[in-house]
Amino acid sequence: MKGTKEKQYLHFVLFILVFAVSGCKPSSNLESYGEKYLRIAVIGEPPEATGKQVRFTEISLDKMTTEDLKLFDAVFITKENLSEAAESQYTDIYLNSTTPFFFISTISHIPFTMKNTKYDKIWNWTPGNSYAVGILTSQEDYTLNSWGYGLQNDKKTDKHIDDMYARIFETIDELKH
């Protein structure tokens, strides 16, 4: 009888372990974004968090056109360029583009999608907020879709930033299909 209870306990523990392991997802998967490369335009320095299937091309705000953006799966705008990117002349590009934009190290898309809203310190990332935001206007009903990407435990570490980029890459890959 004692052996049977031990076997039942062992089976229960194994079941729990199998269940727990099957529910785990790798925290960072920077290399598997579909069968083709993601082509991402970057205004600023490209992130160091890259996978083998992600290619970055540096572009500038002043040469950004709706036609050129069609060559890319997404556009990243880095922290150093957010203030200039919030200038009113770019708002229509963000809102009318068929290419999603991701603003890195800011808590909201508002200064980029609302004309005459100045980007300043209040829009910078702080713990408890998204570290990056993405936008794309739906071509079917012209509604603005947005995504927020936080950092694990609100801690700005290389690993947490890599994980955030992995989630953004997954979103871009889903939008392509």
Side-chain angles (χ1 to χ4, degrees):
M1 187 77 104
K2 188 175 182 183
T4 304
K5 286 191 179 216
E6 288 174 355
K7 282 184 182 180
Q8 288 176 339
Y9 179 74
L10 181 60
H11 282 85
F12 177 74
V13 169
L14 286 173
F15 173 77
I16 296 297
L17 285 172
V18 168
F19 182 76
V21 170
S22 67
C24 292
K25 180 180 177 185
S27 62
S28 181
N29 186 2
L30 294 173
E31 295 184 15
S32 60
Y33 304 103
E35 297 175 11
K36 297 183 179 181
Y37 286 97
L38 292 180
R39 296 161 304 175
I40 300 175
V42 180
I43 298 169
E45 281 291 313
E48 292 182 25
T50 62
K52 291 179 183 172
Q53 293 180 302
V54 178
R55 293 212 177 147
F56 295 106
T57 302
E58 290 184 56
I59 65 170
S60 64
L61 275 169
D62 60 339
K63 297 194 174 155
M64 181 175 63
T65 66
T66 306
E67 203 56 40
D68 290 339
L69 295 177
K70 291 179 181 179
L71 300 172
F72 300 101
D73 299 312
V75 178
F76 287 179
I77 300 178
T78 62
K79 180 179 181 176
E80 298 76 25
N81 297 283
L82 294 174
S83 184
E84 183 182 356
E87 292 176 6
S88 294
Q89 73 259 31
Y90 301 115
T91 303
D92 290 334
I93 293 174
Y94 306 140
L95 294 176
N96 296 317
S97 177
T98 57
T99 305
F101 282 83
F102 293 87
F103 304 93
I104 310 301
S105 196
T106 187
I107 62 172
S108 177
H109 61 79
I110 291 173
F112 311 102
T113 56
M114 303 275 299
K115 289 187 178 190
N116 302 319
T117 302
K118 185 178 176 179
Y119 184 88
D120 57 27
K121 290 181 186 178
I122 65 166
W123 302 108
N124 289 338
W125 175 76
T126 54
N129 292 297
S130 295
Y131 184 79
V133 294
I135 61 166
L136 179 63
T137 301
S138 167
Q139 297 304 301
E140 291 86 39
D141 60 6
Y142 301 102
T143 57
L144 182 67
N145 297 303
S146 65
W147 301 269
Y149 301 88
L151 298 177
Q152 184 178 3
N153 299 323
D154 290 326
K155 300 224 189 293
K156 187 177 174 185
T157 67
D158 289 344
K159 181 182 181 326
H160 296 164
I161 291 173
D162 286 351
D163 290 343
M164 182 230 21
Y165 277 115
R167 288 180 280 137
I168 292 174
F169 297 150
E170 288 171 4
T171 300
I172 296 166
D173 192 52
E174 289 171 9
L175 291 170
K176 282 177 59 172
H177 299 98

